[in-house]
């Protein structure tokens, strides 16, 4: 009956395994590399090791294996499996011909737990099918068709491989030889929606576990977040101001100050406090520069020590090489054996190679020092000489910058005085004397700075007056030059005409703006110089270039020559007010068309 089939054991006499081969089913399952199960669901071999089966090189099957539920592939064809006769309660299974090829199967669907079983006898019932296939594992459901096939769903994936082992077996019901009681089993993978759904659920669960594991791993290796910066308040401001004055706590305090400024804590009420803290931060610049200089000095001393040590090592190598060379002379060489001579020659070569390496290194250090010294000595000579006007302008700008810096210092001192006044009301009587002294010192410093500021302002006014005088003188000189030009153009030309009749050569020479061969050379050099300066050049720049060729050339001579040649050189004014600048340009190509 169906109820009694599940409780059968190997001791069942009528339909159990024969006594001649009590381990037929165990042998069959062992050939597949799986732990064989008895009729009751218990393992026939309790100490069975799947890795010792016939499927050498295939890892043991783990039903809880993560991933796609991968199971071992079928037995290779070149490794024969000894299939045995399997006796069940209601039927007998006969193995196929071992020389025939193994039965073909379709591609295994993911998470497959259902098999297709074809070739069943016509008289086979669900009870007989359960009796045959429940030895492969727990059967969940059987769906039998009227056309001698069925679908069997197992509880786990690895049970499907055990069922596939029965493919090709001939089944006989009882001892009957009727055609309806016999058949050839064909077991193959089946595609079921329930299997696919369970497999997808399992994959999603594994993906969630993997994401959770990666998240924990990332959190474990993530660096700790920086400590939060406190919010701005008067108390925290005073604490940060004190830390800014301490060299050891300066880095922490400057980070807090930066965060406050970026947060937008600066307003009209807190501007003085922030300015004082910024001024304290600025006071550390000199300290950092001194530290850098000290480290550079230490580095130079270390380089010098290394160079001295290397020189000493090189001297010792020279002595060792000298010993080897003296030993190689015939006076001492003849007394050594052949092996000793070989060793001495090898040692000499090694010592010379090491000495040459150290010598090259020392020469490279010295070469670098010489290059550094040459770079420091080479300085670009100044090509332009500043005029009185440019010197005055630069002095005025310097005075302006100094004036601004003094104003800023005065503002800083006033802020500190106000802070001291605010703290004076809060402080105790014991600190009044020290604060009064500080106030007096600050007031004295403030008075000194005010006096200095007044002096600077007076100097600034004097410089401006001098600059205005220079501008007026220049304007007068320009007006005189224009008047002279007009007078020269208005003079009668009667004398010139008479001279033209008497001496045509002298006429051509007197009418031409170029008086001598020297001026012709000057015109050619100036034209070449201005041709490579398309935006023009000042008269001082041009004279500085000409004085390299001839130191006797003066600025007035060059300027008069260029003013005579109006079709060759043109003067342009650029800038406004104090930045007014005169530039000469070459216009010979345009002047040639006009003349």
């Amino acid at each position: 009956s169906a109820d009694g089939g599940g409780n059968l054991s190997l001791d069942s006499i009528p339909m159990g395994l024969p006594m001649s081969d009590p381990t037929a089913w165990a042998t069959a399952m062992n050939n597949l590399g799986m732990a064989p199960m008895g009729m009751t669901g218990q393992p026939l071999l309790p100490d069975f090791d799947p890795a010792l089966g016939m499927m050498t090189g295939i890892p043991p099957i783990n039903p809880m294996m993560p991933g796609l539920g991968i199971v071992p592939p079928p037995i290779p064809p070149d490794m024969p499996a000894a299939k045995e006769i399997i006796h069940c309660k209601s039927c007998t299974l006969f193995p196929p011909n071992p020389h025939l090829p193994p039965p073909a199967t379709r591609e295994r669907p993911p998470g497959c737990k259902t098999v297709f079983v074809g070739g069943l006898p016509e008289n086979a019932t669900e009870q007989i099918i359960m009796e045959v296939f429940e030895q492969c594992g727990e059967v969940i459901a059987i769906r039998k068709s009227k056309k001698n096939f069925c679908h069997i769903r197992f509880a786990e994936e690895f049970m499907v491989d055990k069922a596939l082992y029965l493919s090709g077996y001939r089944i006989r019901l009882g001892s009957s030889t009727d055609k309806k009681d016999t058949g050839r089993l064909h077991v193959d993978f089946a595609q079921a929606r329930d299997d696919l759904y369970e497999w997808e659920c399992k994959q999603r669960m594994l993906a969630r576990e993997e994401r959770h594991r990666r998240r924990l791993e990332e959190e474990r290796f993530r660096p700790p977040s920086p400590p939060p910066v406190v919010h701005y308040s008067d108390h925290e401001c005073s604490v940060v101001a004190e830390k800014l004055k301490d060299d050891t706590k300066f880095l922490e305090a400057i980070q807090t100050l930066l965060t406050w400024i970026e947060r937008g804590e600066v307003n009209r009420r807190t501007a003085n406090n922030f300015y004082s803290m910024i001024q304290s931060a600025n006071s550390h610049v000199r300290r950092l520069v001194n530290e850098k200089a000290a480290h550079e000095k230490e580095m130079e001393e270390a380089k010098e020590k290394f160079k001295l040590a290397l020189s000493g090592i090189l001297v010792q190598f020279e002595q060792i090489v000298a010993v080897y060379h003296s030993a190689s002379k015939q006076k001492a060489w003849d007394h050594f054996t052949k092996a000793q001579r070989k060793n001495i020659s090898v040692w000499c070569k090694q010592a010379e190679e090491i000495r040459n390496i150290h010598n090259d290194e020392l020469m490279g250090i010295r070469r670098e020092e010489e290059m550094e010294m040459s770079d420091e000595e080479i300085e670009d000579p100044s090509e332009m000489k500043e005029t009185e006007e440019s010197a005055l302008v630069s002095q005025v700008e310097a005075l302006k910058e100094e004036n601004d810096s003094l104003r800023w210092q005065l503002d800083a001192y006033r802020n500190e005085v106000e802070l001291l006044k605010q703290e004076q009301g809060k402080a105790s009587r014991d600190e009044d004397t020290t604060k009064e002294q500080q106030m007096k010192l600050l007031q004295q410093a403030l008075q000194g700075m005010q006096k200095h500021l007044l002096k600077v302002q007076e100097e600034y006014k004097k410089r401006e007056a001098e600059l205005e005088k220079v501008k007026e003188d220049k304007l007068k000189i320009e007006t005189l030059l224009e008047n002279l030009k007009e007078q020269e153009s208005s003079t009668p030309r009667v004398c010139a005409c008479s001279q033209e009749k008497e001496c045509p050569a002298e006429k051509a020479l007197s009418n031409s703006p170029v008086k001598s061969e020297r001026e012709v050379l000057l015109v050619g050099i100036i034209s070449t110089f201005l041709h490579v300066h398309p935006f023009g050049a000042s008269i001082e720049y041009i004279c500085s270039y000409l004085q390299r060729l001839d130191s006797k050339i003066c600025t007035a001579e060059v300027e008069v020559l260029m003013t005579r040649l109006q079709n060759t050189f043109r003067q342009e004014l650029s800038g406004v007010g104090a930045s007014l600048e005169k530039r000469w340009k070459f216009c010979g190509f345009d002047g040639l068309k006009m003349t």
Side-chain angles (χ1 to χ4, degrees):
S1 64
D3 297 332
N7 299 325
L8 287 175
S9 63
L10 293 175
D11 297 329
S12 301
I13 296 172
M15 301 302 292
L17 295 175
M19 297 303 293
S20 61
D21 191 4
T23 59
W25 182 257
T27 304
M29 291 295 102
N30 188 20
N31 291 335
L32 191 59
M34 303 176 183
M37 306 294 290
M39 296 294 290
T40 58
Q42 300 296 328
L44 295 176
L45 301 176
D47 298 329
F48 174 76
D49 186 6
L52 301 177
M54 290 188 66
M55 297 182 69
T56 308
I58 298 175
I61 294 175
N62 182 9
M64 299 303 290
M65 184 184 299
L68 302 178
I70 298 172
V71 297
I75 302 172
D78 55 350
M79 187 179 294
K83 294 188 176 183
E84 304 291 340
I85 298 174
I86 300 174
H87 297 276
C88 298
K89 180 179 178 182
S90 304
C91 61
T92 306
L93 300 177
F94 297 94
N97 187 353
H99 300 292
L100 294 176
T105 58
R106 63 183 294 181
E107 185 180 357
R108 181 171 189 150
C112 180
K113 296 181 183 179
T114 306
V115 295
F116 166 83
V117 181
L120 293 172
E122 292 183 11
N123 295 333
T125 60
E126 288 188 8
Q127 179 182 358
I128 295 173
I129 297 170
M130 176 71 75
E131 179 183 345
V132 173
F133 285 95
E134 70 179 355
Q135 303 177 74
C136 302
E138 182 182 355
V139 177
I140 301 298
I142 296 177
R143 294 189 296 275
K144 188 177 182 300
S145 176
K146 296 179 181 180
K147 294 184 179 180
N148 302 332
F149 70 89
C150 68
H151 289 84
I152 303 174
R153 190 164 190 261
F154 292 98
E156 299 294 339
E157 295 181 27
F158 68 93
M159 299 175 183
V160 174
D161 298 279
K162 295 182 180 181
L164 289 176
Y165 178 76
L166 300 177
S167 183
Y169 269 80
R170 290 181 294 108
I171 182 171
R172 187 180 67 186
L173 302 180
S175 58
S176 174
T177 57
D178 190 4
K179 187 176 181 181
K180 295 183 178 182
D181 294 334
T182 60
R184 184 181 295 277
L185 298 178
H186 174 70
V187 186
D188 197 355
F189 299 110
Q191 198 164 10
R193 284 177 294 180
D194 295 341
D195 297 344
L196 182 62
Y197 175 73
E198 289 182 3
W199 179 80
E200 289 176 350
C201 291
K202 184 178 179 182
Q203 296 306 308
R204 285 194 289 270
M205 181 188 69
L206 293 173
R208 285 195 298 271
E209 292 178 356
E210 180 66 19
R211 286 196 299 270
H212 180 66
R213 185 188 64 79
R214 289 183 180 177
R215 194 181 302 113
L216 293 178
E217 194 73 15
E218 290 175 359
E219 290 177 358
R220 190 164 66 89
F221 287 105
R222 186 180 295 128
S225 58
V229 179
V230 296
H231 292 280
Y232 176 82
S233 64
D234 293 337
H235 173 69
E236 294 294 338
C237 177
S238 60
V239 171
V240 171
E242 291 297 326
K243 287 183 178 179
L244 283 172
K245 297 176 183 178
D246 190 358
D247 296 346
T248 58
K249 301 178 181 178
F250 172 72
L251 187 59
E252 177 186 355
I254 199 71
Q255 291 290 339
T256 306
L257 177 60
L258 177 62
T259 306
W260 283 350
I261 294 174
E262 289 179 349
R263 284 179 181 174
E265 300 287 350
V266 183
N267 52 37
R268 187 174 296 177
R269 185 179 64 84
T270 61
N272 294 333
N273 297 336
F274 274 98
Y275 184 80
S276 299
M277 288 189 287
I278 292 170
Q279 189 177 12
S280 300
N282 185 46
S283 64
H284 287 268
V285 173
R286 185 176 296 177
R287 174 182 65 84
L288 296 174
V289 171
N290 293 335
E291 288 182 1
K292 178 177 176 291
H295 288 304
E296 287 179 350
K297 186 178 179 181
E298 290 178 0
M299 185 177 68
E300 293 296 332
E301 292 177 354
K303 283 184 179 178
E304 193 65 28
K305 288 181 181 178
F306 175 70
K307 190 170 69 173
L308 292 174
L310 196 60
S311 301
I313 292 171
L314 190 60
V315 169
Q316 296 178 20
F317 268 113
E318 291 287 352
Q319 294 176 356
I320 294 171
V321 171
V323 169
Y324 289 143
H325 284 306
S326 62
S328 301
K329 293 181 180 178
Q330 189 174 5
K331 185 177 180 181
W333 190 256
D334 295 339
H335 300 286
F336 294 117
T337 62
K338 189 174 182 180
Q340 291 173 346
R341 292 175 184 174
K342 185 177 180 182
N343 290 336
I344 290 172
S345 61
V346 170
W347 294 340
C348 183
K349 288 181 182 178
Q350 292 177 353
E352 286 179 347
E353 290 177 358
I354 298 172
R355 181 200 60 185
N356 293 335
I357 292 170
H358 283 72
N359 195 10
D360 293 341
E361 188 174 358
L362 185 60
M363 293 301 294
I365 294 171
R366 290 177 178 172
R367 200 177 299 112
E368 290 178 359
E369 291 179 352
E370 291 175 359
M371 291 174 66
E372 290 176 0
M373 292 294 291
S374 63
D375 291 340
E376 292 175 359
E377 290 174 358
I378 293 174
E379 295 180 356
D380 294 334
S382 59
E383 295 180 356
M384 296 178 63
K385 297 180 180 179
E386 295 182 352
T387 60
E388 293 180 0
E389 183 181 355
S390 62
L392 288 172
V393 170
S394 62
Q395 288 179 3
V396 169
E397 290 177 355
L399 288 171
K400 284 182 180 178
E401 292 178 358
E402 189 175 1
N403 190 10
D404 294 337
S405 65
L406 288 171
R407 285 178 182 173
W408 294 337
Q409 290 179 8
L410 282 172
D411 293 337
Y413 281 122
R414 285 172 184 168
N415 293 332
E416 289 183 3
V417 169
E418 289 176 2
L419 290 174
L420 288 172
K421 285 180 180 179
Q422 293 175 3
E423 293 175 0
Q424 188 176 6
K426 300 177 184 179
S428 60
R429 295 179 181 178
D430 297 333
E431 298 176 355
D432 288 341
T433 56
T434 57
K435 287 191 176 181
E436 286 177 359
Q437 292 176 359
Q438 290 179 358
M439 288 286 291
K440 289 178 181 179
L441 292 173
L442 288 172
Q443 287 175 356
Q444 291 175 1
L446 186 61
Q447 291 175 0
M449 295 297 293
Q450 287 176 349
K451 291 178 181 179
H452 187 55
L453 179 60
L454 292 173
K455 290 180 181 179
V456 171
Q457 287 178 350
E458 290 176 0
E459 291 179 4
Y460 175 69
K461 290 178 181 178
K462 290 179 182 178
R463 297 292 184 182
E464 281 185 342
E466 291 176 3
L467 185 59
E468 288 176 358
K469 288 181 181 179
V470 170
K471 289 180 181 178
E472 291 175 359
D473 294 341
K474 282 201 169 187
L475 290 173
K476 290 179 181 178
I477 291 169
E478 287 175 0
T479 54
L480 288 173
L481 286 173
E482 289 176 358
N483 293 331
L484 289 172
K485 289 179 183 178
E486 290 176 358
Q487 289 176 3
E488 287 177 0
S489 61
S490 62
T491 53
R493 301 180 181 178
V494 177
C495 297
C497 294
S498 62
Q499 287 177 359
E500 284 178 3
K501 294 178 180 179
E502 294 176 358
C503 185
E506 291 180 358
K507 171 196 168 185
L509 186 61
S510 62
N511 287 337
S512 65
V514 182
K515 303 295 183 179
S516 63
E517 185 178 1
R518 185 170 184 272
E519 291 184 354
V520 172
L521 292 173
L522 286 175
V523 170
I525 294 169
I526 294 169
S527 301
T528 307
F529 179 78
L530 290 178
H531 185 62
V532 297
H533 291 78
F535 297 104
S538 62
I539 189 67
E540 291 80 9
Y541 188 20
I542 297 169
C543 290
S544 65
Y545 176 74
L546 294 174
Q547 284 172 358
R548 290 184 179 180
L549 305 175
D550 187 3
S551 60
K552 297 178 182 179
I553 295 173
C554 61
T555 307
E557 179 187 358
V558 176
E559 190 170 7
V560 170
L561 176 62
M562 294 176 72
T563 52
R564 290 206 306 264
L565 300 171
Q566 296 180 358
N567 292 328
T568 308
F569 305 108
R570 183 175 66 250
Q571 189 180 30
E572 293 183 355
L573 297 177
S574 62
V576 179
S579 61
L580 191 66
E581 186 180 4
K582 296 179 181 179
R583 288 180 174 270
W584 287 91
K585 290 188 177 180
F586 177 72
C587 60
F589 299 115
D590 298 334
L592 184 64
K593 296 177 182 177
M594 294 172 62
T595 56

